[in-house]
Every structure is written in C-alpha cells, then in structure tokens.
Amino acid sequence: MKAVINLVKRNVLIFIRDKGAVFFSILSMLIVLGLMILFLGNMNSENIVAVLERAGNVRDADKDKANAEYLIQMWTLAGILVTNAVTVAMTVMGNMVKDEARNRLASFFIAPVKRLEIGLGYIFSAWVIGTSMCLITLAVSQIYLAATGQDVLAGGAVLRLFGMIALNTFVYAAIAYLLALFIHSESAWSGLLTVIGTLVGFVGAIYLPMSMLPEKVADVLKCLPVLHGAAMMRVVCTEDAVKNTFAGLPEEFASGFRESMGITVVMNGETVSFGAQAVYLIILGVSVIIAAALVSRKKAMRDR
C-alpha cells in the first residue's frame, strides 16, 4: 500500500508541475461551459417557458423565465461535472503513456513493486486530481450563484454530489488506465483524448438533450456510463429547480421534462433507479480494473 501511495504522490506532483496540462484541463471546462450557456442555455430555457405558456394556466411570465434559466444552469452544471470527470481523468492518465514513451515505466516494472500497485498508482492519481477539479468547479458554480443572488445547493445535496463525483471519476480513471495499456505514444494518446473530449458531450446527452436524439441513438447511449453518471448528478442539481419551475402543473409536465433532458433514464418502459445506476457504475469500475490487471499480466508474460 505504501508503494501505491508513493506512486500516487509522484503522479499528482508531475501533473501539477505540468502547467500546460493543468491549463488545458481548465480550458476544456470553460469551453464546455461556454458552449452550453451561450448557445444551448437560452434555447433550452426558452423551450421550457414555451411549455409553461402552453399549459394554459395564469402564470407569472417573469418568474417562469427566471425559474427556467436557473433550472438550465443547474442542468448545465451537472453536465460540466461529468465532462470534467471524464476529460481530467484521461488527461492525468497521460502520465502513464508519457512514462512508457520515455522508458520510465520499464524501470518501475523491474523494481520490487507489483504491476497491480503500479496500475493503482496511476488510477488513484487520476481519481484524486479528477475529483479535485470537479469539486473546484462545483465550488466556483456555487460562488457564482450566490454572487448573482440565486439559490445555492443545500449541504445535503453537495455531499451527495461529492459521492457521485468520486464514483464517476473512479470509473473513468479505471477506463483511462485500461485504454492507456494499448497506447504507446504521446501523440496517439493526445489524439484519443481529443476524440473522447468531443464525444463525451454527446454520449452524455449534454450538448443535445435526449428528446432531440434519434430513438436508436438514445437506446445506445442508455447503455453507456456517461449518461447514467450525468443523470445521477442532474437529479441532485435540478431537484428543487424542477419543482419550482413546474409548480402548479400536473406531475406529467415535470416527469416529461426530466425524461427529455436526461435527468431520468427510461429503459424498457421503466425508469432506471438512482441505486441501480450507482451499482452499475461500481460494477463497471471494478470490472474494468480486473480486465486491466489481466491485460497487464498478459503483457508481462509476453515481455519475458
């Protein structure tokens, strides 16, 4: 265990000292934030207002608009958190690819340290940094909301989000490690990171809500961890905002919105529960680590 802790410290320090990696991790977060707020935020909030107007009840238009904008902000926050969990974990795992490209990994393998410990060192370092970046994002968002006079998340909601951030980042750190076992150059890893960074917004129904996707595409996304991770965070982030926005309307308005925006995931006519999503992510994370251990062992036998 001491070897794992030392490897984690070493990998975290390497990432922090690489100002370029830290900068681009933050930049990717800002790009996603800008895309969703500047281009998609207004469109989504206007759609909500239009639905409220069609409800036919006598409503306060200004209040509806304010509630809709706040709801979309919270929905966007959940999307940014899950995007960070994926991209930052992938970026940090680039340390392993860099170590292999510069023949440092070979030195670790001949040291009296198990390959599993080396792998866990990379995984936990990606988990620590990824979780930290997500928590910083969450803190900045709450400061912004407070500064603009809007409601911030309650303490219980923040604690729940912390658990979900930690779980999601762990899963994507494990997946990143498994992928890194097959990549042997920094340029190839950079290309893969670019592709994944682009796709994560779509597979998590972040750039486009579920209601705007073809049915076949939506069915595929429901099998991927990014969508379920995003949905879990959206439930917590938007819980109060949905209630306030659709107050006074039948429940089907709120439930329809949750499904169309990927807050709830419906498979085979049944809503996937929060607990089932958490279990799915845990099983996936553990399964990926086992698969990575088998791949690493096979490589070790081949290299002998």
Side-chain angles (χ1 to χ4, degrees):
M1 190 48 136
K2 185 177 180 180
V4 174
I5 294 174
N6 289 333
L7 285 169
V8 170
K9 289 181 179 178
R10 177 253 182 193
N11 294 332
V12 169
L13 288 174
I14 288 176
F15 177 81
I16 293 174
R17 289 170 182 167
D18 187 346
K19 295 180 175 59
V22 176
F23 171 77
F24 283 110
S25 295
I26 296 174
L27 180 62
S28 64
M29 175 191 73
L30 294 177
I31 290 174
V32 174
L33 177 64
L35 284 172
M36 289 195 286
I37 290 181
L38 296 179
F39 297 99
L40 301 177
N42 288 336
M43 178 184 70
N44 288 327
S45 61
E46 289 171 359
N47 289 340
I48 296 173
V49 172
V51 170
L52 296 175
E53 289 176 348
R54 288 197 299 270
N57 293 5
V58 177
R59 302 182 65 88
D60 185 330
D62 291 336
K63 185 177 180 181
D64 281 344
K65 183 178 180 181
N67 285 336
E69 291 176 349
Y70 176 71
L71 173 55
I72 293 303
Q73 286 179 343
M74 300 307 293
W75 182 84
T76 300
L77 170 60
I80 294 172
L81 291 175
V82 76
T83 300
N84 279 0
V86 176
T87 57
V88 175
M90 290 288 297
T91 300
V92 178
M93 196 56 65
N95 285 340
M96 176 178 165
V97 179
K98 187 182 297 183
D99 284 340
E100 181 175 4
R102 301 181 184 183
N103 295 319
R104 295 171 185 160
L105 199 56
S107 300
F108 291 152
F109 289 154
I110 63 175
V113 181
K114 296 179 181 178
R115 283 183 177 244
L116 177 60
E117 292 178 325
I118 295 172
L120 291 176
Y122 286 113
I123 291 172
F124 285 134
S125 61
W127 174 74
V128 168
I129 295 174
T131 300
S132 298
M133 292 293 286
C134 288
L135 292 177
I136 291 172
T137 303
L138 178 59
V140 170
S141 71
Q142 298 309 292
I143 292 172
Y144 167 78
L145 291 174
T148 55
Q150 302 182 77
D151 294 336
V152 298
L153 291 171
V158 172
L159 288 176
R160 291 170 65 192
L161 272 179
F162 172 76
M164 283 178 277
I165 288 170
L167 174 58
N168 277 270
T169 309
F170 169 74
V171 171
Y172 304 128
I175 292 174
Y177 174 70
L178 178 60
L179 293 175
L181 290 174
F182 299 96
I183 305 296
H184 308 292
S185 71
E186 295 178 60
S187 59
W189 184 258
S190 178
L192 178 63
L193 181 58
T194 300
V195 172
I196 291 178
T198 303
L199 290 178
V200 65
F202 292 98
V203 300
I206 295 168
Y207 295 152
L208 292 176
M210 293 292 289
S211 59
M212 298 180 65
L213 297 173
E215 184 177 351
K216 296 294 184 182
V217 174
D219 289 340
V220 172
L221 298 189
K222 291 175 183 179
C223 299
L224 302 178
V226 178
L227 178 60
H228 291 281
M232 293 171 68
M233 295 189 191
R234 287 169 180 156
V235 168
V236 178
C237 288
T238 66
E239 186 174 14
D240 292 335
V242 169
K243 292 178 181 178
N244 293 334
T245 302
F246 295 95
L249 297 179
E251 174 58 26
E252 54 262 28
F253 280 87
S255 60
F257 172 81
R258 293 188 185 98
E259 183 176 350
S260 68
M261 296 298 285
I263 299 173
T264 57
V265 179
V266 177
M267 300 179 69
N268 298 321
E270 297 290 335
T271 299
V272 182
S273 69
F274 190 94
Q277 291 172 324
V279 170
Y280 165 61
L281 290 177
I282 292 171
I283 293 175
L284 177 62
V286 173
S287 300
V288 169
I289 290 178
I290 293 173
L294 294 175
V295 171
S296 182
R297 181 181 179 183
K298 185 176 181 180
K299 290 180 66 175
M301 295 176 64
R302 185 181 60 197
D303 294 341
R304 288 176 182 174

